[in-house]
Amino acid sequence: MVNLNVNGRAVEVNAAPETPLLWALRDELKLKGTRYGCGAGMCGACTVHIDGQAAFACQMTIGDVGGSEITTIEGLSETGDHSVQQAWIAEQVPQCGYCQSGQIMRAAALLARNPRPSRQEIVDEMSANLCRCGTYPRIIRAIERAAQEG
Amino acid sequence: MTVDTIRPTRRGFLMGSGALSFALLASGAATILPAGAEAQPLPDGRVTAWVTITPDNRMTIMFGSAEMGQGVSTSLPMIVAEELDADWSTVASEQVSSDPEGVYGNPMAGGVLFAAGSSSVEGYFTYLRQAGAQARQILIQIAAAHWDVPAEEVTTHRSTVLHGPTGASMTYGEVAALPDPVWPSGEMPEAELKPRADWAIMGTDVERLDIPGKTTGAPVYSIDVELPDMVHAALLLPPVEGETPTLNSDAAARAVEGVVDVIVMDHAVAVLARSFPAALAGRDALDVGWTETSPFRMANSADELVALAEAADDMSADAVVWESRGSGPADFAAAGVVTGTYTTEHVYHAQMEPLNAVASVDADGMGAEIWLGTQSQTASILIAAAVLGTTPDRIRFHAMQMGGAFGRRTVFAREQMRDALLLSRASGRPVKVIWTREDDVKNGWLRPATVQRLDAVLDAEGYPTALRHRIASPSIFQFAMPDRWNPETRRDLLVMEGAESAEYAFGTFQAEHVLLPRQSRLSAWRGIGWAPNCFARECFLDELAGRAGTDPVSYRRRLLAGSPRALAVLDAAVEMSGFGTAPEGRAHGLAFAGYKKTLATGVAEVSVEDGQLRVHRFWAAIDPGMVVHPQAYRAQVEGGILFGLSSVLRERSTFTAGQIDQSNFYDYEPVRIADIPEIEVRFVESGEPPSGGGEIGVPMTAPAISNALRRLTGEGSTRLPFPAQQA
């Protein structure tokens, strides 16, 4: 049993401390928006916020993050209206959608830290996340939009 | 396509929801399922019909092609809604999971549920317009009967029926709530459908219906499905195709906390556990031996490339003629014949959602409920029935939206679904099978390597009077769709399509396929044959243009002079890119490429800095006939261009002694955001019926980049991926 703080709530997870955070979120806490893509920290489909910083949920255990504030896509906003989510709709970013939770979480963490990122800063940050459908041009536009309108 | 008539027992389905539903029968006739006294709960919550309208004036439109990111959950309903004169803001859409009545299949795919080859909008276009038009006629006739006026006087506008002479009007929802059943039918001639100029929904950039959910993590893919009592399965798969396991010991695996069972299968050893991490830990603890007798132990991708090159050059090797035009055989052994050889290596799909399936087999072992992401619901249901030795009516199938597919989910074998079924039957519990990314990479069904040799006999000005396009490759079709392979004709459209060069006037022309035995599992990959085949041809044509001392645009203009559509996209791409006016240190390259009826020209702007190829900009002019949903089509083209770029820069699967050498995204890395160019897409509509956009971005991209590199450095790439020093 491990105690976690997820999306502003204290929760108990009935799993061993060495359980990857990704699978605890998905299968124990039923927060399915955090996706499994590679399990190797290479694709970013599992990106969540740990104390506000973008992090790969597949690369940490629940024992690692017991004292941290964990935010998943489900907790990014109450009603799906975070400026990044709104920009993602305005720019019609997603195709298959599978990587997009992770893309949005990384973009939101970037803008929280750097509200007016340059094009190069956006590209540098978002290079951690893969999108096989090729939504990258729209991801850049959406982040620029969120920075302007957010 | 044959269809059963709608059974009367279904009339009651919609009544329970107070809704109207319309089904388009294969004859083109429509049937109405009216609200009435026979109220019944919806069986499985489903209705076999295209359109459902509820009294609150909301409507749900069904779509047959599976959503894998290409946007069919919006674009197909747009087609119905257009002819229905619907208020688009009232429309929701719903995926079709199965089609026992044969109503929902794609006419272009033999009437089955099969989403592949950019065929959805093209295949369904007329059929769905007729469905929408007939639904509209039904609403008009119900309203006319209710008002007791001639139906000819009733019109529609944005989900409202109107009677001009009396000023009466009702919303479609109000019509749907009327009690009187009406049973009109009859053909809806294509000539009575709306012309392009009257489109109000098609051709506009409505927002995709699936996008809001995809910004909140809400979508449910098959990997997200959970059932009571479900267990997670990790499979220890054979190191080499076809080998069988011997279980030495599962004691350590069974000792892992959470492991429920270890099941030895013919082709794998499965660990079932209460969580996926526990299943993986159990798998790691297995002690398993393998037969190590697979003939694929002899398979090496490097050797295969050598064998393909030898076969391409060996004119005594048996070749299947794919396409032949012109006036008889040409002498390709004569002096002055120009030859070019191009090589494309194996590539892997890398869809972001690792392959998986969920199955719950019935207690009698002769039926099941299945959740699967698949490009063909029809084929998957048939496969499932065959696995269980049962009939398709015992398969309750849920077609889930897919986290990408790109051809990997078309193949007529679905290993994860098969294994979920077998394990559920063996364990008596619902089972979710997930392949890890490593499983997915190492058991990929690859696009095969090709070696392509082009020979041209040239006239005095350097233009071909004869051209031969000879492709050495194993057959995808024979392996991936064996039931449909014709061993007599050996025509493999998955390898050969795109080699026709149909728009070019080459004089005598022949495309031919030298088939070698496969050395790996194979399937189609986005762009299918068109991507490697257009790469070879378009690079070769730039070589020929250079030899002729002619620029690549006017060289192609002369060869494409018989195709106004081809010239239009060529000229548009030249104009939008300012072809040939690249900034200092950069160069432009161009390629003309088609995908079936869609034509395109791409222009790449590249530089090489510190030995690194960089694609700065890419312009694409596309003729898709007409565009149903421009912004989604544009997204498909952008994605296709980035797929093509990825095949240029890094993508390569290799195998040694039958084992794929790569493991995960650290050694098989698709393009990242830092790699991408600025992309500009322009539509050049010819007014032909709509043709697909899923593949068209891919074929033009690699040759345009290679041709740009050639103009910059004097040497293009004859290989995909480009050699490392260039890429």
Side-chain angles (χ1 to χ4, degrees):
Chain A
M1 192 72 76
V2 176
N3 294 308
L4 297 178
N5 181 329
V6 179
N7 296 334
R9 288 175 38 229
V11 292
E12 284 187 347
V13 179
N14 186 20
E18 62 270 22
T19 302
L21 174 62
L22 168 65
W23 295 105
L25 291 171
R26 286 182 53 78
D27 290 346
E28 306 299 329
L29 299 174
K30 313 303 181 193
L31 295 168
K32 302 288 194 184
T34 303
R35 310 290 179 185
Y36 167 60
C38 71
M42 294 300 299
C43 77
C46 67
T47 303
V48 296
H49 295 173
I50 305 295
D51 297 326
Q53 302 293 312
F56 300 126
C58 73
Q59 294 298 296
M60 51 192 62
T61 68
I62 53 177
D64 293 337
V65 292
S68 300
E69 288 188 13
I70 302 160
T71 307
T72 71
I73 186 72
E74 292 88 351
L76 182 63
S77 62
E78 291 268 321
T79 56
D81 60 352
H82 186 280
S83 59
V84 171
Q85 291 168 310
Q86 291 181 333
W88 242 245
I89 294 171
E91 295 293 342
Q92 294 283 287
V93 174
Q95 292 185 32
C96 88
Y98 195 79
C99 74
Q100 298 295 344
S101 299
Q103 305 278 6
I104 288 167
M105 293 306 284
R106 184 166 300 279
L110 167 65
L111 291 175
R113 182 177 81 238
N114 178 359
R116 293 283 182 276
S118 67
R119 170 73 62 109
Q120 191 59 48
E121 287 170 333
I122 292 171
V123 165
D124 289 347
E125 176 69 21
M126 300 307 294
S127 282
N129 287 44
L130 283 172
C131 170
R132 184 53 155 170
C133 294
T135 64
Y136 298 132
R138 295 178 188 219
I139 286 173
I140 294 171
R141 288 206 296 273
I143 294 172
E144 289 175 342
R145 176 190 285 263
Q148 280 187 347
E149 297 179 355
Chain B
M1 177 163 90
T2 59
V3 159
D4 297 333
T5 49
I6 299 237
R7 290 194 300 268
T9 51
R10 279 223 248 91
R11 290 177 195 166
F13 295 177
L14 292 170
M15 313 305 91
S17 59
L20 281 178
S21 180
F22 308 99
L24 180 70
L25 304 185
S27 66
T31 280
I32 187 169
L33 308 171
E38 309 172 5
Q40 299 282 337
L42 300 178
D44 302 329
R46 298 201 60 77
V47 180
T48 305
W50 288 110
V51 182
T52 300
I53 301 172
T54 46
D56 62 357
N57 204 30
R58 307 288 307 173
M59 71 170 69
T60 300
I61 300 177
M62 306 299 290
F63 58 96
S65 291
E67 178 62 76
M68 52 187 144
Q70 80 280 46
V72 286
S73 57
T74 304
S75 57
L76 294 178
M78 287 172 76
I79 301 171
V80 178
E82 180 69 62
E83 290 292 340
L84 183 50
D85 247 354
D87 175 351
W88 179 255
S89 69
T90 69
V91 173
S93 68
E94 187 178 327
Q95 175 83 64
V96 172
S97 276
S98 63
D99 188 22
E101 314 288 339
V103 171
Y104 290 121
N106 184 342
M108 195 170 151
V112 303
L113 297 170
F114 188 62
S118 304
S119 65
S120 293
V121 167
E122 181 176 343
Y124 278 110
F125 182 65
T126 299
Y127 193 46
L128 292 185
R129 282 189 301 155
Q130 289 175 324
Q134 288 168 328
R136 175 175 168 273
Q137 283 301 319
I138 290 165
L139 292 165
I140 285 173
Q141 295 196 43
I142 295 172
H146 181 71
W147 289 327
D148 195 19
V149 301
E152 295 70 35
E153 294 178 4
V154 177
T155 60
T156 59
H157 180 67
R158 287 176 58 89
S159 288
T160 303
V161 284
L162 306 154
H163 183 243
T166 59
S169 73
M170 279 187 287
T171 67
Y172 285 1
E174 288 169 333
V175 178
L178 293 174
D180 303 329
V182 178
W183 296 86
S185 64
E187 297 293 329
M188 179 55 59
E190 207 175 329
E192 291 184 18
L193 302 173
K194 287 185 186 178
R196 174 75 180 81
D198 291 350
W199 289 2
I201 297 170
M202 291 198 289
T204 69
D205 279 339
V206 300
E207 292 188 350
R208 278 176 59 154
L209 298 171
D210 59 340
I211 280 185
K214 286 177 174 175
T215 67
T216 65
V220 179
Y221 305 86
S222 59
I223 201 169
D224 302 321
V225 170
E226 293 212 10
L227 302 169
D229 204 34
M230 184 184 83
V231 290
H232 301 257
L235 299 177
L236 188 63
L237 296 162
V240 180
E241 180 187 346
E243 295 185 340
T244 56
T246 305
L247 181 63
N248 298 323
S249 171
D250 62 5
R254 289 181 183 275
V256 171
E257 172 79 23
V259 168
V260 171
D261 201 357
V262 174
I263 297 176
V264 180
M265 312 171 81
D266 289 343
H267 53 273
V269 180
V271 177
L272 275 50
R274 283 191 291 274
S275 74
F276 191 57
L280 291 175
R283 183 175 75 166
D284 287 346
L286 286 171
D287 180 357
V288 173
W290 296 91
T291 47
E292 301 189 15
T293 55
S294 170
F296 291 99
R297 293 247 165 201
M298 305 291 288
N300 297 293
S301 51
D303 296 343
E304 185 179 8
L305 288 171
V306 171
L308 292 170
E310 289 174 355
D313 281 343
D314 176 6
M315 294 307 153
S316 69
D318 179 31
V320 176
V321 176
W322 172 256
E323 171 88 357
S324 183
R325 297 193 297 270
S327 52
D331 182 7
F332 290 107
V337 168
V338 178
T339 298
T341 301
Y342 302 87
T343 303
T344 67
E345 299 198 42
H346 299 85
V347 286
Y348 152 72
H349 298 81
Q351 79 293 334
M352 292 303 299
E353 180 193 8
L355 296 172
N356 66 87
V358 179
S360 179
V361 174
D362 299 345
D364 69 356
M366 296 299 286
E369 191 164 8
I370 296 168
W371 292 259
L372 183 72
T374 174
Q375 291 176 247
S376 179
Q377 303 94 312
T378 304
S380 297
I381 290 167
L382 293 173
I383 293 164
V387 167
L388 294 180
T390 188
T391 48
D393 60 294
R394 288 292 308 273
I395 305 299
R396 283 102 61 206
F397 193 78
H398 303 272
M400 310 300 289
Q401 63 185 310
M402 288 170 270
F406 313 116
R408 180 62 178 91
R409 304 186 204 240
T410 55
V411 293
F412 285 9
R414 297 309 314 272
E415 308 105 300
Q416 305 76 26
M417 179 182 71
R418 174 199 63 197
D419 292 347
L421 287 165
L422 294 174
L423 294 169
S424 177
R425 187 167 67 182
S427 66
R429 304 171 69 154
V431 173
K432 180 191 289 183
V433 168
I434 300 176
W435 277 16
T436 63
R437 178 60 59 185
E438 289 81 4
D439 295 335
D440 206 291
V441 172
K442 290 206 168 288
N443 295 276
W445 288 36
L446 310 175
R447 185 181 77 186
T450 69
V451 175
Q452 312 207 7
R453 174 177 163 143
L454 291 101
D455 293 280
V457 179
L458 303 176
D459 65 16
E461 294 176 89
Y463 288 87
T465 58
L467 193 141
R468 179 177 63 199
H469 190 166
R470 182 174 166 91
I471 298 169
S473 162
S475 172
I476 299 172
F477 204 108
Q478 182 179 15
F479 175 67
M481 302 186 179
D483 294 346
R484 295 176 58 198
W485 174 245
N486 184 332
E488 302 296 322
T489 59
R490 295 182 296 159
R491 288 179 65 81
D492 187 339
L493 65 91
L494 299 175
V495 169
M496 291 303 294
E497 264 197 345
E500 303 83 2
S501 299
E503 289 77 20
Y504 281 107
F506 288 143
T508 297
F509 175 76
Q510 181 154 309
E512 57 192 38
H513 187 188
V514 184
L515 290 93
L516 273 71
R518 72 178 180 94
Q519 304 295 318
S520 61
R521 301 178 181 94
L522 303 174
S523 63
W525 194 84
R526 189 177 194 175
I528 318 185
W530 303 76
N533 302 345
C534 290
F535 169 70
R537 183 197 64 219
E538 290 297 310
C539 290
F540 186 58
L541 287 180
D542 255 40
E543 290 285 337
L544 296 184
R547 283 171 169 269
T550 308
D551 75 273
V553 177
S554 51
Y555 193 81
R556 283 184 178 76
R557 285 199 105 260
R558 182 154 148 187
L559 293 169
L560 293 169
S563 172
R565 291 183 62 205
L567 291 176
V569 291
L570 178 65
D571 291 344
V574 168
E575 189 269 319
M576 64 197 284
S577 65
F579 184 77
T581 61
E584 182 70 23
R586 301 183 185 180
H588 287 165
L590 172 145
F592 167 78
Y595 177 81
K596 295 201 168 91
K597 293 174 186 163
T598 307
L599 300 182
T601 297
V603 173
E605 180 176 299
V606 310
S607 69
V608 177
E609 290 152 21
D610 302 326
Q612 291 294 307
L613 170 68
R614 174 90 207 162
V615 183
H616 299 273
R617 303 188 67 179
F618 200 96
W619 297 267
I622 315 279
D623 176 5
M626 296 180 281
V627 193
V628 167
H629 194 192
Q631 64 100 344
Y633 200 115
R634 189 172 278 111
Q636 286 299 290
V637 175
E638 291 164 359
I641 290 167
L642 296 180
F643 239 78
L645 175 65
S646 204
S647 75
V648 162
L649 294 180
R650 286 189 291 271
E651 290 199 44
R652 179 202 328 252
S653 286
T654 60
F655 45 88
T656 305
Q659 302 190 44
I660 289 176
D661 299 314
Q662 292 73 34
S663 298
N664 202 318
F665 292 133
Y666 45 78
D667 50 11
Y668 193 101
E669 188 182 30
V671 287
R672 292 184 181 274
I673 203 167
D675 299 312
I676 73 165
E678 296 274 331
I679 297 173
E680 187 181 332
V681 177
R682 181 189 295 178
F683 295 118
V684 185
E685 292 195 12
S686 59
E688 294 291 311
S691 55
E695 328 286 333
I696 189 61
V698 186
M700 67 180 133
T701 299
I705 295 170
S706 178
N707 291 338
L709 187 64
R710 184 179 174 281
R711 286 161 61 87
L712 185 72
T713 67
E715 191 176 2
S717 173
T718 59
R719 302 182 71 88
L720 286 182
F722 287 15
Q725 66 272 19
Q726 291 175 334

